[in-house]
Amino acid sequence: MRPLEGIRIADFTVHAAGPFCTHMLSLMGAECIKIETALRPDIFRKPHTVYGRAGAATFDQVASNKLSIRLNLKDAEGRELAKRLVAVSDVAAESFRAGVMARLGLGYDVLAGVKPDIVMVSISSSGQTGPDSHFAGYAPLFGAWGGLGYLTGYPDGPPVEMRHVMDHSVGMNAAAATVAALHQRRRTGRGAHVDVAAREVASSIVGDTMMVAAAGGYVERIGNDDHRRAPHGLFPTDVEDRWLSLSVGSQAQWRGLLTVMDRRDLAAAPQFETEADRHANREALARIVAAWSAHQDADTAVRRLQEAGVPAHISWSTEDIAADAHLRGRGAIVDVTESGGAVRAAIGRPARFSACDEPAFERGTPRLGEHEEYVFGELLGLGRAAIDDLIDRNVIH
Amino acid sequence: MSTDGPLAGIKVVECAQGVAAGYAGRLLATMGAEVAMIEPPEGCALRREPPYLDGDGLQSALFSYLGADKRSVVLDLATPEGRRDLAALLTDADIFLFDTPVDARPALGLDEAALRRGHPHLVVASVLPFGAFGPKAGWQGEEINLIHASGEGYLLPNGLSVDLFPDRPPLKIAGRFAEMQGGVTALFATLAALWSGEGQTVDVSVQDANVAIGAFAIQRLGDGSVEHRHERNFRYGGVIECRDGFVELLTLEERQWQGLVELMDSPEWACGPGMDDPAARSARGPDINARIRAWAREHPVAELVARAQRLGVPMAPYNTPADVLSDPHEEARRLFGEVDIAGVGPVPIQTAPFRFGADPLAVRRAPPALGADQAILERSRPREARKVNA
């Protein structure tokens, strides 16, 4: 049995962060019912010209493994059906701007009225409270607000934009907090309104730097440098744009690197003797390593470095990742068959469980409204005629 | 209002040298679990990791951030007594969170078979750079290796940085981004395993966690598109330099673009023929961005962001850490608690990036001194052992 089997989620989320949260919960075995309407499709279902491409942006990954129903939440009857669905669910998840669910008549107070121990998860840019709580935002804005963007970049360059990994970091935090709230419910019988602010997730990632700044310390962007390790960073190999990532801290790692580089002579060089020496002279050291690495086959170099106990890995492209036997063997990358029959690589479970090692995926992206018979019929007990009537009147739409 | 946190009553034993497992433990602790760090006599490696809070290199900011709300117990696992004490602690625990390398586990009695046999009730969470299973299970990986093993490293930087420095190597995200993702994923997976009620082993890999959060790159590969940092830009917007700093601008919806035109006081170039067509604008992206960049350089960050948000234009300031610490929004949400660091004094510390109601979780304890909580051993030791030690 998958760990969260038996948990049901009424999923009102849109875009990336929210749907990724519920997708993660579904990969752990929760039943996730995605609520959409043809009136206002998820922005990620639509083509995105801002990316300079015509295809739908990114919908399949976060929508897969879910059940799909249509529900018009602008309609009073639609909202009543939403409440009935929440009443038979454990979790209600949403990622609108703060206040939108309340204006729809589906705020936490209302949902707790129909299901007293509901765990409601609200994911927003700046949280449910505070002067900026109404702010609109996307992943790159979260990273900027929270300080992560400012700290990322070349020392002599501007800050750097965080993309989807920022959305999904928020979703992963929200998924973890949801399970924590379920534990609290199990212990106390109480539900909770879980509030996840994306900008707070961004700042949490550089929480140590915040403390340094507060204590009056030096905080700037350091690019690929490390505060103590050297050599540290990306080094060229014999193929253009194929980079070797390398991190050397301890004396043992330093000796390992010198062995692989066949430069044991440098072990006696006073400017590289200790970790502090190497860090102080890291630019000269980087030039020596780059001169060596530029003639190396990346895969061979990484294998030899790892055998010598040196942390190293190629800077992998997405193609490298999708093809990797290690990731596929772990179920981190799986093949998913979409309803049209196409097979695509997708991310699988984010961790392995000894009690249940089944693949986490059950289905690809659902068609809009594909599971209405089960949800409205079986779960909510509506007959065929009643469902058809709701469809005719655009309540289910 | 309850003050005991959502995970009150859950007992965790943590044996971590790295950031990922340490961060999972920190979030468990701040949510109310009792987390006992098992440290070797010289202290866990994170205690010596820069950056530091003091000038003397004694108080690691990273350790202080990850160690808050935890307890510290020193055990020498190289000795039979140390291993016996650990076993006693595990008998009493719900979760064992550890990042001991796979090949070092059998000698410490921490291999999977031994743990399962000795503690069948326990959720054992192994958190390693590349996981505990598979051909790379024994590989070492520091932050820079992990972010590049997971795809996002190769795709950075983007936008303004890659325009300015097209020939430089890829760039990591600041701090311990990949390892922190591993920590949050470990937290999620461990709590899910505990929810199931079955004692079991959870195998978390920092690489898997980051491949998961890079989901869309994998998806786009399935759509037939291989992303590269040189092409992976929004057509316009992104990092924009202002008179006194930088903002992030992203207009995905038509009404947001219209808001941006209004924000720029409807310049002629933005209102010309074809500019109301998103596809045509997309084709002219670099030209449009040059004009946005020229316009923004004349304006201060605070004024632009305030007006943009009023007009429904998604824009945010690139806040420095000091900006975040003093932001009225973060202040209103009481995002930062306070811990007392020896030799430094009270320092604000972020509680958790999520809350379970209107109030934030509280950070209740300063990071412990090494071995500050040896007393925990007394209550978990088997009776005979207590006598021997008495």
Side-chain angles (χ1 to χ4, degrees):
Chain A
M1 214 169 93
R2 288 189 207 113
L4 296 183
E5 229 155 288
I7 294 294
R8 180 177 298 136
I9 304 166
D11 182 4
F12 298 90
T13 63
V14 293
H15 297 181
F20 187 78
C21 163
T22 52
H23 179 58
M24 285 296 112
L25 292 163
S26 87
L27 290 182
M28 295 290 187
E31 178 182 87
C32 180
I33 300 168
K34 182 167 174 69
I35 298 150
E36 288 180 89
T37 168
L39 294 174
R40 195 170 187 272
D42 194 324
I43 187 176
F44 276 18
R45 243 194 214 281
K46 295 189 288 187
H48 252 272
T49 50
V50 73
Y51 295 108
R53 298 185 289 106
T58 40
F59 191 70
D60 287 318
Q61 178 71 61
V62 290
S64 55
N65 222 34
K66 296 178 181 176
L67 306 175
S68 170
I69 63 165
R70 296 166 299 160
L71 206 48
N72 178 5
L73 299 178
K74 301 265 183 213
D75 183 285
E77 274 184 88
R79 294 193 292 273
E80 283 312 307
L81 281 170
K83 285 184 213 167
R84 286 178 63 184
L85 182 57
V86 169
V88 296
S89 299
D90 303 284
V91 175
E94 61 98 6
S95 60
F96 299 113
R97 273 204 220 193
V100 168
M101 284 296 270
R103 284 202 292 282
L104 283 169
L106 297 170
Y108 175 64
D109 294 349
V110 174
L111 298 186
V114 299
K115 180 76 160 76
D117 63 352
I118 193 76
V119 170
M120 182 171 178
V121 185
S122 289
I123 298 164
S124 61
S125 69
S126 302
Q128 300 298 303
T129 61
D132 296 351
S133 60
H134 59 290
F135 276 18
Y138 299 115
L141 280 80
F142 314 154
W145 268 318
L148 181 65
Y150 177 85
L151 292 167
T152 300
Y154 299 112
D156 55 346
V160 168
E161 182 179 82
M162 298 299 122
R163 297 283 293 270
H164 307 301
V165 292
M166 194 65 247
D167 278 317
H168 299 155
S169 309
V170 174
M172 192 70 88
N173 273 274
T178 303
V179 186
L182 287 170
H183 279 284
Q184 177 173 253
R185 188 189 74 172
R186 181 180 271 174
R187 182 173 55 87
T188 67
R190 287 198 319 269
H193 188 184
V194 178
D195 176 5
V196 187
R199 65 200 266 181
E200 295 175 359
V201 173
S203 57
S204 73
I205 293 163
V206 284
D208 59 329
T209 314
M210 298 281 169
M211 295 178 74
V212 174
Y218 176 75
V219 179
E220 267 308 327
R221 53 185 84 97
I222 60 170
N224 283 329
D225 262 356
D226 184 81
H227 290 290
R228 69 172 173 89
R229 296 170 181 84
H232 187 279
L234 277 288
F235 296 89
T237 65
D238 64 354
V239 172
E240 203 192 331
D241 205 32
R242 190 92 173 145
W243 303 89
L244 171 68
S245 74
L246 196 60
S247 175
V248 174
S250 68
Q251 293 304 104
Q253 290 170 352
W254 170 237
R255 285 192 298 270
L257 173 68
L258 293 183
T259 303
V260 174
M261 285 171 57
D262 202 16
R263 288 298 306 270
R264 266 157 289 215
D265 57 305
L266 291 176
Q271 72 271 33
F272 303 136
E273 195 177 338
T274 66
E275 185 180 271
D277 295 329
R278 293 191 289 277
H279 194 261
N281 297 300
R282 60 190 179 279
E283 285 178 27
L285 184 51
R287 282 193 293 274
I288 294 171
V289 175
W292 164 77
S293 69
H295 303 287
Q296 303 301 311
D297 168 71
D299 290 279
T300 310
V302 166
R303 186 174 43 75
R304 291 180 60 210
L305 287 163
Q306 285 285 352
E307 279 165 11
V310 181
H313 203 281
I314 299 171
S315 180
W316 259 359
S317 73
T318 311
E319 285 166 302
D320 293 318
I321 287 166
D324 180 49
H326 180 73
L327 289 167
R328 284 188 174 266
R330 295 181 56 79
I333 295 284
V334 294
D335 280 330
V336 172
T337 307
E338 296 295 344
S339 43
V343 177
R344 64 158 78 227
I347 58 153
R349 57 175 168 239
R352 298 173 64 245
F353 296 86
S354 64
C356 175
D357 204 29
E358 291 166 36
F361 261 103
E362 286 186 344
R363 60 185 78 80
T365 306
R367 289 189 314 277
L368 186 62
E370 186 177 337
H371 304 95
E372 286 169 2
E373 207 168 295
Y374 163 70
V375 174
F376 294 124
E378 264 182 66
L379 288 185
L380 301 188
L382 298 179
R384 188 67 252 173
I387 295 174
D388 287 341
D389 175 55
L390 289 163
I391 292 172
D392 287 344
R393 292 188 292 111
N394 287 350
V395 176
I396 296 175
H397 182 69
Chain B
M1 191 191 71
S2 164
T3 54
D4 56 4
L7 299 183
I10 292 174
K11 282 190 182 171
V12 182
V13 174
E14 174 197 302
C15 201
Q17 297 289 311
V19 172
Y23 189 50
R26 159 66 201 288
L27 290 175
L28 286 166
T30 296
M31 284 192 281
E34 183 188 295
V35 178
M37 281 190 290
I38 305 306
E39 300 194 70
E42 72 275 17
C44 104
L46 292 166
R47 287 186 183 268
R48 296 177 291 279
E49 190 67 32
Y52 299 108
L53 290 170
D54 55 349
D56 306 324
L58 295 176
Q59 298 295 350
S60 158
L62 189 61
F63 174 77
S64 300
Y65 183 53
L66 301 179
D69 284 331
K70 295 180 187 173
R71 294 157 205 267
S72 168
V73 176
V74 171
L75 289 182
D76 186 354
L77 298 182
T79 67
E81 295 75 26
R83 294 195 291 276
R84 194 181 58 211
D85 281 341
L86 177 60
L89 284 173
L90 292 180
T91 303
D92 207 27
D94 303 290
I95 294 169
F96 179 45
L97 184 61
F98 75 135
D99 60 8
T100 308
V102 175
D103 58 3
R105 289 176 182 183
L108 303 174
L110 298 179
D111 54 302
E112 181 164 353
L115 282 167
R116 285 262 61 79
R117 202 169 45 242
H119 311 281
H121 72 288
L122 198 63
V123 169
V124 174
S126 160
V127 186
L128 289 170
F130 297 93
F133 166 87
K136 289 184 177 174
W139 279 33
Q140 298 202 46
E142 294 290 343
E143 174 65 25
I144 193 152
N145 313 120
L146 291 165
I147 198 155
H148 285 282
S150 318
E152 186 66 10
Y154 187 71
L155 296 173
L156 285 172
N158 49 35
L160 187 55
S161 280
V162 88
D163 286 355
L164 291 168
F165 310 109
D167 300 326
R168 289 190 183 178
L171 182 75
K172 72 188 278 289
I173 298 177
R176 306 300 194 105
F177 181 90
E179 292 168 287
M180 301 290 272
Q181 304 310 322
V184 177
T185 305
L187 171 72
F188 171 47
T190 302
L191 287 177
L194 189 66
W195 176 263
S196 76
E198 288 180 276
Q200 59 176 310
T201 305
V202 183
D203 173 9
V204 178
S205 140
V206 175
Q207 184 192 27
D208 290 359
N210 285 276
V211 165
I213 69 153
F216 286 160
I218 296 287
Q219 157 147 342
R220 286 178 182 161
L221 188 69
D223 295 343
S225 138
V226 183
E227 300 202 310
H228 189 278
R229 62 188 175 282
H230 283 181
E231 290 93 42
R232 196 200 197 206
N233 291 332
F234 292 111
R235 305 311 288 177
Y236 45 86
V239 181
I240 307 282
E241 186 166 10
C242 300
R243 200 161 74 196
D244 57 348
F246 293 87
V247 295
E248 172 66 32
L249 167 69
L250 180 53
T251 54
L252 289 181
E253 305 258 28
E254 185 58 23
R255 62 185 160 77
Q256 296 166 346
W257 163 258
Q258 295 303 339
L260 175 63
V261 172
E262 196 181 334
L263 180 67
M264 295 187 293
D265 296 322
S266 307
E268 212 171 302
W269 67 264
C271 307
M275 290 301 280
D276 53 356
D277 172 19
R281 283 203 307 273
S282 184
R284 283 185 53 192
D287 171 44
I288 291 175
N289 223 17
R291 290 172 186 275
I292 293 173
R293 285 174 182 174
W295 159 77
R297 269 194 287 273
E298 308 296 318
H299 299 272
V301 167
E303 179 200 306
L304 273 194
V305 171
R307 282 186 59 213
Q309 287 288 347
R310 274 201 300 279
L311 292 167
V313 179
M315 184 186 277
Y318 272 94
N319 282 331
T320 66
D323 293 336
V324 177
L325 285 161
S326 63
D327 194 294
H329 181 73
E330 272 70 24
E331 232 163 83
R333 284 173 62 78
R334 291 180 289 125
L335 181 61
F336 295 95
E338 201 168 80
V339 289
D340 199 13
I341 308 288
V344 179
V347 178
I349 183 169
Q350 184 165 349
T351 58
F354 39 73
R355 58 189 65 191
F356 298 84
D359 296 320
L361 294 168
V363 174
R364 279 164 289 193
R365 297 165 67 96
L370 183 61
D373 302 285
Q374 294 302 109
I376 290 175
L377 289 175
E378 289 308 314
R379 72 165 199 236
S380 67
R381 267 189 192 126
R383 220 170 274 280
E384 313 81 75
R386 279 183 218 168
K387 279 188 206 136
V388 170
N389 282 289

